Amino acid sequence: MYQGGTGVGLDTEKQGSDAVWEETGMINYETIDWSSAQERCVLDNQDRFFTGNITLDSELADMHPERIDRTAVVIRLFTGFKWTRHTILNFRAMISELNLKSGGEYDVHFLLHVHDDDAPIWADDATVQNILDNNVPKEFHGLCTLWSVAQMKLYYPGNFGSTFDNPSNDDIHGVYRSAHMPLQYFAINHPEYAHFWNWEMDMRWTGSYYELFDRMGKWAAKQSRQGMWERSAKYYIPALHGDWDNFTKSVEEETLASGRQPVFGPVTFPGKISLRHGEDFLPDSCHDQPDLSKCGVGEDADIITLNPLFDAEDSGWVFSGDITGYDTKLSKPPRRSCIVTASRLSRRLLSVMHEETWRMHHSMFSEMFPPTMAFHHGLKAVYAPHPVYLDRAWPTKNIDKAFNGGRDHSTSGHGSPFDLMNEHNFKGTSWYYNSEFAGLLWRQWLGYAQKDGRNDNGGHADEGTLRGGQQEEEDPSSSGRLCLRSMLVHPIKWENPEDLIH
């Protein structure tokens, strides 16, 4: 320990830090029980929130209309995960900013994938404790929910039928193809939450996590259902499209010019099976007035994604045919997908997904199943544009051509940026599963020296000469540490170069 802290920042440029520590003192957070801290915060503020009990909440809504829903941020974890000082600091920040500073609006949880399918995690407390002791820092133990593939096979039993295409050759209950199964299980066991952020451990945010999640949720609620699937299938490029209203109008014009009927409400297709309780998920704002632009405005989104929602058919995306449990003698069902599983899912969407899984034995690849279920049943789906940067200056029209080069000037169909032949363009972006630039940018922001061979003609990480770091940034001629606006970066596979050695 470093006087109670993790030591992060002591090995980089740190001008002014001593003055901060002199005022705040050093705190040993290793002794904190974050689960208890969250629970006490929620208990102190329980009069602000709905409970998850439908009958009680209906009464509370009449008596206390200012009450709000709560949200779980569920971080995907696995046994054998390498905990670093930066990782611990990031998760402490999430808990502090999302729960403690918000008065309990959010809870942070870890959904821990136990690779050992023989471990009786649902039957033996000693086994659970041993897994936690060996895989998770003690301060986070109370936030963990354990699951395994063997458990999912018990929870979703039966024959899932044929698959159109399975390029990974993985099990249908496995995390790679069906990461939604344990999240559905988690949601059923936590009725106190109305929304669930599906979050990955290798994503970072340079600003306040509360600001990120709060603003996205409120922005998504303001979006109209009219044209939402068409808008969400396209990258919004402010330098090209102008403000959001102008972008909306341009998408409407492109949709009209295409001759395609805009998607509105649930879709029909051969072999579709209806939900037990029907699928009229349109709010009153879609029925009570003739102006469809008001439809859905003020309605919480059922899914908020961080990349466009594209039509997987003919997109060239490698997993577009990973569709299980549907009649393979019929055409593939229509579907939507979003690369990177990070997204906010509503309780009602997860309930729909759960019914499709256990009753109909339907599943699709992890990045395709949640959006497709929203698409099939007429739930509100929104892609929330956030700042994504490129590692070099591109002409604006070239950006549009590369990333909106699909059907009808979108990310769908032929020409999709998610085509296996086009995905290389994302290596130089700050947000994509195979980005190189994201890690380089993040480590530079943290102040670590690294080899960065990227230049106007390309190049790769860990090539070229060593640049940046404490000595260079503390030089009187240097501008010091890099400043960044609030932004998401992904994936971050390592931070301190020492982590690669150890």
Side-chain angles (χ1 to χ4, degrees), residues 391-392 427 436-444 448-456 458-468 482 494:
D391 63 351
R392 59 181 65 88
K427 286 187 177 292
E436 288 184 350
F437 180 51
L440 290 169
L441 182 62
W442 178 249
R443 288 186 290 275
Q444 184 175 350
Y448 291 112
Q450 58 187 329
K451 291 182 178 180
D452 178 7
R454 304 184 75 86
N455 52 49
D456 291 341
H460 299 279
D462 206 29
E463 293 180 355
T465 58
L466 202 65
R467 298 166 57 187
L482 174 69
W494 56 276

Side-chain angles (χ1 to χ4, degrees), residues 140-273:
F140 300 122
H141 281 192
L143 304 177
C144 292
T145 298
L146 279 59
W147 74 277
S148 66
V149 173
Q151 183 190 32
M152 289 302 104
K153 289 181 177 179
L154 291 174
Y155 198 70
Y156 292 115
N159 181 10
F160 274 70
S162 301
T163 297
F164 280 89
D165 185 29
N166 180 12
S168 69
N169 291 316
D170 276 19
D171 192 309
I172 189 59
H173 290 88
V175 67
Y176 193 59
R177 294 180 65 206
S178 296
H180 41 275
M181 287 185 182
L183 187 62
Q184 292 163 193
Y185 168 79
F186 180 89
I188 289 169
N189 286 282
H190 287 278
E192 67 269 29
Y193 305 117
H195 301 282
F196 302 80
W197 271 102
N198 187 32
W199 208 247
E200 299 176 17
M201 80 292 291
D202 60 352
M203 303 187 300
R204 299 288 186 270
W205 170 249
T206 61
S208 160
Y209 279 105
Y210 180 80
E211 179 185 68
L212 171 68
F213 292 132
D214 180 66
R215 300 299 191 277
M216 279 199 289
K218 290 176 178 176
W219 180 86
K222 293 178 181 178
Q223 302 309 302
S224 169
R225 278 176 169 258
Q226 186 182 44
M228 70 176 185
W229 287 105
E230 290 73 29
R231 288 193 303 276
S232 292
K234 188 178 178 74
Y235 276 106
Y236 169 47
I237 306 171
L240 179 68
H241 299 126
D243 63 23
W244 186 255
D245 287 340
N246 192 65
F247 173 71
T248 299
K249 291 177 183 176
S250 69
V251 174
E252 290 174 353
E253 292 169 358
E254 289 167 351
T255 303
L256 183 62
S258 73
R260 294 179 179 271
Q261 190 70 21
V263 177
F264 188 81
V267 298
T268 60
F269 56 89
K272 181 180 178 181
I273 303 173

Side-chain angles (χ1 to χ4, degrees), residues 363-433:
S363 190
M364 297 182 187
F365 195 75
S366 297
E367 293 164 311
M368 188 159 55
F369 192 59
T372 297
M373 292 302 96
F375 183 61
H376 284 183
H377 300 293
L379 280 77
K380 186 176 181 180
V382 175
Y383 154 52
H386 57 95
V388 176
Y389 296 95
L390 300 171
D391 63 351
R392 59 181 65 88
W394 281 38
T396 304
K397 290 186 178 180
N398 289 5
I399 298 174
D400 190 48
K401 183 178 180 180
F403 296 99
N404 285 326
R407 188 189 68 212
D408 304 331
H409 205 198
S410 73
T411 61
S412 297
H414 291 295
S416 170
F418 308 114
D419 187 306
L420 194 60
M421 301 301 293
N422 296 332
E423 275 194 324
H424 63 275
N425 288 312
F426 287 102
K427 286 187 177 292
T429 70
S430 56
W431 179 261
Y432 201 63
Y433 79 90

